[in-house]
Amino acid sequence: MKRDVVVLNCGSSSVKFAIIDADTGEAGLSGIAESLGNSDASLIFKHNGSKNKVQLSPNAGHTEALNAIQTVITDTGVAPIAVGHRVVHGGERFKQAALVDDSVLADVEKYASMAPLHNMANLKGITTAQEAYPDLPHVVVFDTSFFQKMPEKAYLYALPKALYRDHGIRRYGFHGTSHKFILDSTAALLDKPVAQTSIISAHLGNGCSVTAIEQGVAVDTSLGFTPLEGLIMGTRSGDLDPSLPGTLQNKLGKTADEINDLLNKSSGLLGISELSNDCRTLEDAALEGHEGAKLAIEMFCYRLAKYISGYMIAVPSLDAIVFTGGIGENSSLIRETTMGYFSHLGVDIDTDRNLQARFGKGGDIASDSSNKRVFVVPTNEEWVIAAEAATFA
């Protein structure tokens, strides 16, 4: 008997959903309700290879979207056993998935200040889905849980220790479900137990992170207290001088919230290129000579290479460097440019293998002479969430 789980990922203006077989990871139904709150709100879904679109009411919100999703699921005849929810920030309380109750909901809201673009949207999705599926167990799976075994030297900031004790100011890390899936998948590729597998995992999409995993345990990661620190991302700045936000407030006459929006929504690849946050658009533009696009790609890859090389210290028994996420899986240019910085360290990739490992194919892209394996592994965060949720059914 199939163990189908509804997996929901609610953003501020979208709801991604899928029906995932918890045992195989297969998705017979998946889709997204997007442009919520706008006049062109719609639901697009794929069922058994057939693509469909439903126009929602103008300015439709999460409630209408989830009701439409429920109707689609019902019409397919699927009988889900649970609902799994992706939640970005779980603070220090949640070291694993949790069955939703009032205290869990209160903590999801409590941690919203640490993930302002995510947690409140996640919370809205949970409460609305509870109304749609009142008889099913609702399970939250946190991006931060995977990193709860990091050592103090990795997760503490060099601030007064009281800020950690009293306010929980520390590095939490994100994209945990993706890094966990990549760890498990790479262990299978290497034919090693997960507990003996050591990798540096680069999740590259509109949000980006690198995680150091030594002997099956995350020991460091690039995203921090919020999903802003670390790598250059689509619209997020990543690392910068801590004095800059205050300086920009004074120079530009903006509020702290406005500067926060600038760093989260107007920076990164978009800010550097002055063109787009989409890597595909930037690659095309760079080939046509667009200087901003070329600079954005160069900066992105250079910063990524610095993080990967730095984490080689944290992973002394390194088995492989692994690329995943929309950019990591599909951009042979980003992988080639990034790994080009490692040639003097004896880590090389094969050009043909790199080109072939795109668009869902994955594989080992290291050259025969490389002293480390380099993999492309398509991620499946939804399967991780479904498998965790199914344990509560």
Side-chain angles (χ1 to χ4, degrees):
M1 180 179 177
K2 290 181 67 177
R3 297 195 302 156
D4 286 323
V5 175
V6 180
V7 175
L8 296 175
N9 182 357
C10 292
S12 57
S13 61
S14 67
V15 179
K16 294 180 182 178
F17 77 98
I19 297 292
I20 303 292
D21 185 324
D23 297 316
T24 67
E26 294 180 0
L29 173 66
S30 63
I32 182 171
E34 55 189 355
S35 299
L36 301 182
N38 297 321
S39 59
D40 58 344
S42 62
L43 170 63
I44 300 171
F45 64 94
K46 184 183 291 186
H47 181 229
N48 293 332
S50 177
K51 194 171 183 179
N52 303 271
K53 183 174 182 178
V54 176
Q55 203 65 43
L56 302 176
S57 301
N59 305 314
H62 288 78
T63 299
E64 182 176 338
L66 283 160
N67 287 339
I69 290 170
Q70 182 191 19
T71 298
V72 169
I73 293 172
T74 301
D75 288 346
T76 63
V78 174
I81 62 171
V83 182
H85 300 267
R86 180 211 179 197
V87 176
V88 168
H89 216 305
E92 287 192 308
R93 174 186 168 184
F94 297 103
K95 294 176 171 55
Q96 56 191 13
L99 187 66
V100 173
D101 59 22
D102 289 342
S103 68
V104 169
L105 293 176
D107 278 336
V108 170
E109 183 171 8
K110 170 185 171 184
Y111 296 129
S113 62
M114 302 181 188
L117 300 181
H118 302 89
N119 264 42
M120 291 308 295
N122 300 155
L123 182 64
K124 176 66 174 176
I126 296 169
T127 55
T128 305
Q130 284 181 308
E131 296 173 2
Y133 293 100
D135 299 323
L136 293 181
H138 288 257
V139 179
V140 285
V141 179
F142 297 91
D143 276 12
T144 48
S145 296
F146 184 64
F147 307 102
Q148 287 301 300
K149 293 182 179 180
M150 288 195 305
E152 283 188 317
K153 66 181 180 182
Y155 73 71
L156 285 178
Y157 291 113
L159 296 169
K161 191 74 174 293
L163 291 174
Y164 167 64
R165 289 194 300 266
D166 299 341
H167 302 286
I169 305 298
R170 54 159 286 182
R171 180 184 307 279
Y172 286 97
F174 302 92
H175 298 143
T177 51
S178 179
H179 290 295
K180 181 183 186 303
F181 182 84
I182 296 310
L183 169 63
D184 293 346
S185 299
T186 305
L189 288 171
L190 294 169
D191 195 24
K192 296 182 68 172
V194 170
Q196 295 176 19
T197 301
S198 299
I199 64 172
I200 297 173
S201 172
H203 175 105
L204 309 176
N206 196 47
C208 301
S209 62
V210 180
T211 293
I213 302 173
E214 172 70 10
Q215 301 289 301
V217 176
V219 293
D220 209 341
T221 193
S222 60
L223 288 172
F225 178 68
T226 71
L228 179 62
E229 190 179 355
L231 301 174
I232 293 171
M233 296 171 246
T235 62
R236 290 175 243 169
S237 65
D239 292 338
L240 44 72
D241 187 321
S243 71
L244 272 176
T247 299
L248 291 174
Q249 276 185 258
N250 295 330
K251 284 187 175 294
L252 303 179
K254 294 183 179 293
T255 66
D257 286 343
E258 288 172 329
I259 295 300
N260 191 54
D261 277 350
L262 182 151
L263 298 178
N264 276 285
K265 300 177 182 179
S266 304
S267 301
L269 294 175
L270 174 63
I272 300 163
S273 69
E274 299 183 305
L275 178 66
S276 176
N277 66 311
D278 191 309
C279 191
R280 295 164 296 186
T281 300
L282 295 180
E283 288 189 24
D284 290 341
L287 287 173
E288 295 173 0
H290 191 288
E291 294 300 325
K294 288 194 287 186
L295 178 61
I297 291 171
E298 288 171 1
M299 289 178 63
F300 181 90
C301 294
Y302 176 61
R303 300 275 187 92
L304 173 58
K306 286 205 300 181
Y307 259 98
I308 293 173
S309 62
Y311 284 168
M312 287 180 171
I313 295 170
V315 189
S317 59
L318 180 66
D319 293 308
I321 298 166
V322 190
F323 290 90
T324 193
I327 296 173
E329 295 169 27
N330 298 312
S331 177
S332 56
L333 173 64
I334 294 295
R335 298 192 301 255
E336 181 180 16
T337 306
T338 300
M339 296 312 300
Y341 287 104
F342 291 84
S343 58
H344 67 293
L345 299 176
V347 184
D348 295 298
I349 63 172
D350 181 274
T351 301
D352 290 337
R353 292 170 187 169
N354 186 40
L355 285 171
Q356 291 168 9
R358 293 184 294 169
F359 314 130
K361 292 184 179 179
D364 188 347
I365 63 172
S367 67
D368 293 337
S369 62
S370 179
N371 61 23
K372 295 294 179 185
R373 309 284 288 278
V374 183
F375 289 111
V376 177
V377 177
T379 193
N380 193 337
E381 298 173 78
E382 289 81 7
W383 190 4
V384 175
I385 295 169
E388 296 268 11
T391 64
F392 292 85

